[in-house]
Amino acid sequence: MSVEKYKGRTSVRVLVCDDDPAMLNLMVRRLEKLGLTIDKASGGAEASTRIAEHSYDLLVTDIYMPEVTGLELLKQFKAKDPRGQVVVATASASLESAVEALNHGAFAYLNKPFDHISVFDNVVSRAIDFWHLLLDNQRMAEAQRRRGDLLEEEVASRIRKLKGQQQYLGALVASLPVGIVVFDGKARVLMANPTAERLLGTELGDAGSLLDRLGRDMAAQDGVLRGDMELSGGPARLWLVDLKLEADKSQRVLVLVDGDQATAPGTLLAKSMGQLRAGLAWLIRQPLSGETGKMVRALFGELREIERLVGVSPVEREPAFGTGPLRMDGAPSPARRLLDRGRALMGRHASAPMADSDSDSTRTELERSVRRWAGDAEHPNGGEGVQEAVPAAEEPDTRPAWPPPLPTQAER
């Protein structure tokens, strides 16, 4: 064994106790050569005082000493620090004392005098190595405990964070104005927010039948089932999406929008076209002339073609041009009402017998008079701007008073 094996390791403190001065000095010299820090005591009482006042890592003691025996020092030493090691060396070895010493935690039991001094050196070295091993194990256990505490704290922190995120997502989904339902691969409801529960009602209780109905009644577009359905909670628009999670796992997500909130496809377009059509019809009934009137008529014709293209019901026929303004509330103007009354009156008198040569000319004159009078009522300046279907050259120079004269019996 090399000399000064533990030189520099001042943390290892050794107490040597023996009432035989020669043996005490021999053991101290051997331990000093190992590089250990040594305290010595010449009796049990002195050793007991040192143990009480100081901390030692190794105790080398005799057994049979006056006042305090080596076994009593062993018990006191182990009670103070169970990790400390004790080497018992005695000249009066017995089986009973050896068993008692080992039972109370002694590392080794030696007979004096030693067969060879190297035996003592080897036993002390192994005791110190064992003490170091205990310290290393304790440090590792402490580090593991701290690591476990840190890991436990980290896991607890992550769990709290996940719970917070889950609560946030739950509150977020619950506050959405649309319904959300999540189904697992076995058609079981994993989650449903209040909007979905309100729209689906009792249908949510039988998820399998609900999914079968959705697959049967809704059309697939771009891999997504979508459509409008009448549910327990009222009409709704629905989307059913397949959500792939892993190779062998999947979920299905159902999104519902209340029918009162959803705009049906084409409704906005139809509404906009209807407003545009009403505006163009109003313009057509205005006294427009020249290129302006042609442009308005062309716009109205293009609008009808667009309505046919997108499937919106177009107006049956184009309103008469220049018949006076159309109120935006849908009611005809006073001139239009007068014109309608005049035509009704013409229809009643047309049923009376009349010569064929006079019938057409009379009706034409009546029609012109009615239209001209309606234009005068709408335009006090003499009806300028009212465009007639007949050429201007055929109109009379003077306008008869309203109502136009009826045919006499002679004329009939």
Side-chain angles (χ1 to χ4, degrees):
M1 178 178 163
S2 62
V3 181
E4 298 183 350
K5 177 180 180 181
Y6 301 101
K7 185 176 182 180
R9 304 179 70 170
T10 56
S11 60
V12 181
R13 299 190 62 185
V14 182
L15 176 62
V16 182
C17 178
D18 200 312
D19 58 352
D20 183 357
M23 182 58 68
L24 176 62
N25 292 331
L26 174 63
M27 292 188 293
V28 168
R29 288 195 304 271
R30 297 304 299 179
L31 295 177
E32 287 178 345
K33 287 184 178 181
L34 294 176
L36 302 173
T37 302
I38 308 300
D39 284 346
K40 60 182 179 179
S42 58
E46 182 182 357
S48 177
T49 302
R50 288 183 176 275
I51 291 173
E53 295 177 352
H54 306 284
S55 296
Y56 295 97
D57 305 316
L58 176 63
L59 172 63
V60 180
T61 182
D62 189 12
I63 289 184
Y64 300 105
M65 295 179 296
E67 297 180 354
V68 178
T69 65
L71 292 177
E72 292 174 339
L73 293 177
L74 169 63
K75 296 176 184 178
Q76 180 185 356
F77 186 82
K78 282 290 187 178
K80 186 175 182 180
D81 185 4
R83 299 171 302 176
Q85 301 303 308
V86 179
V87 175
V88 176
T90 179
S92 303
S94 65
L95 180 60
E96 291 79 7
S97 62
V99 171
E100 186 176 2
L102 295 176
N103 285 340
H104 285 86
F107 180 80
Y109 187 91
L110 299 177
N111 289 324
K112 295 187 297 184
F114 307 119
D115 295 337
H116 194 277
I117 195 61
S118 61
V119 174
F120 175 74
D121 295 344
N122 289 332
V123 170
V124 171
S125 296
R126 290 198 300 270
I128 295 175
D129 291 341
F130 185 71
W131 174 80
H132 279 298
L133 182 62
L134 290 178
L135 288 184
D136 292 341
N137 288 340
Q138 184 178 5
R139 293 191 189 99
M140 291 178 62
E142 184 67 19
Q144 188 68 23
R145 184 188 64 79
R146 290 195 298 268
R147 189 178 296 111
D149 292 342
L150 292 175
L151 180 61
E152 182 179 357
E153 182 178 355
E154 182 179 358
V155 171
S157 176
R158 292 187 178 184
I159 291 177
R160 289 193 298 269
K161 186 176 180 180
L162 289 175
K163 286 184 177 180
Q165 291 178 350
Q166 184 178 7
Q167 293 174 355
Y168 169 75
L169 291 177
L172 179 63
V173 173
S175 65
L176 292 176
V178 299
I180 302 292
V181 184
V182 180
F183 304 91
D184 64 4
K186 298 182 179 180
R188 294 176 299 191
V189 177
L190 300 178
M191 181 190 69
N193 67 348
T195 304
E197 294 176 352
R198 176 179 60 82
L199 290 174
L200 290 172
T202 58
E203 298 180 65
L204 193 59
D206 190 355
S209 300
L210 175 61
L211 290 176
D212 292 340
R213 179 189 174 189
L214 297 179
R216 182 178 63 254
D217 296 344
M218 294 198 307
Q221 300 181 17
D222 299 329
V224 178
L225 291 177
R226 62 183 66 187
D228 297 331
M229 296 180 63
E230 186 70 29
L231 303 174
S232 300
R237 185 179 303 169
L238 301 89
W239 293 264
L240 184 62
V241 183
D242 291 330
L243 180 62
K244 299 296 182 182
L245 299 179
E246 298 177 2
D248 56 344
K249 292 183 179 180
S250 63
Q251 293 180 352
R252 308 188 79 181
V253 180
L254 177 63
V255 181
L256 308 94
V257 179
D258 196 330
D260 296 335
Q261 301 177 2
T263 303
T267 300
L268 184 59
L269 179 62
K271 183 177 180 181
S272 300
M273 286 190 172
Q275 294 176 347
L276 179 58
R277 183 173 56 194
L280 290 176
W282 182 85
L283 284 175
I284 287 176
R285 291 185 173 91
Q286 299 307 304
L288 303 177
S289 61
E291 294 298 327
T292 303
K294 293 180 181 179
M295 181 178 65
V296 173
R297 284 178 175 274
L299 287 176
F300 195 90
E302 294 295 334
L303 177 62
R304 296 181 65 185
E305 293 300 323
I306 293 175
E307 288 177 330
R308 292 189 182 96
L309 180 63
V310 299
V312 178
S313 299
V315 65
E316 291 299 329
R317 67 178 186 81
E318 181 181 318
F321 189 76
T323 57
L326 178 69
R327 293 185 182 179
M328 298 311 294
D329 57 1
S333 63
R336 181 62 181 270
R337 290 199 300 268
L338 290 174
L339 182 61
D340 293 339
R341 290 176 60 188
R343 286 174 175 168
L345 183 62
M346 287 169 52
R348 288 197 299 270
H349 286 282
S351 60
M354 183 182 299
D356 292 340
S357 59
D358 298 333
S359 175
D360 293 339
S361 60
T362 301
R363 290 171 184 166
T364 301
E365 182 65 26
L366 286 174
E367 175 72 18
R368 291 173 181 170
S369 299
V370 169
R371 292 181 61 84
R372 189 165 49 251
W373 194 94
D376 291 340
E378 190 66 34
H379 303 282
N381 59 357
E384 294 182 0
V386 178
Q387 301 192 14
E388 298 290 342
V390 298
E394 297 181 5
E395 293 188 7
D397 295 333
T398 60
R399 298 184 178 90
W402 182 262
L406 298 178
T408 61
Q409 186 66 28
E411 292 175 339
R412 295 180 185 147

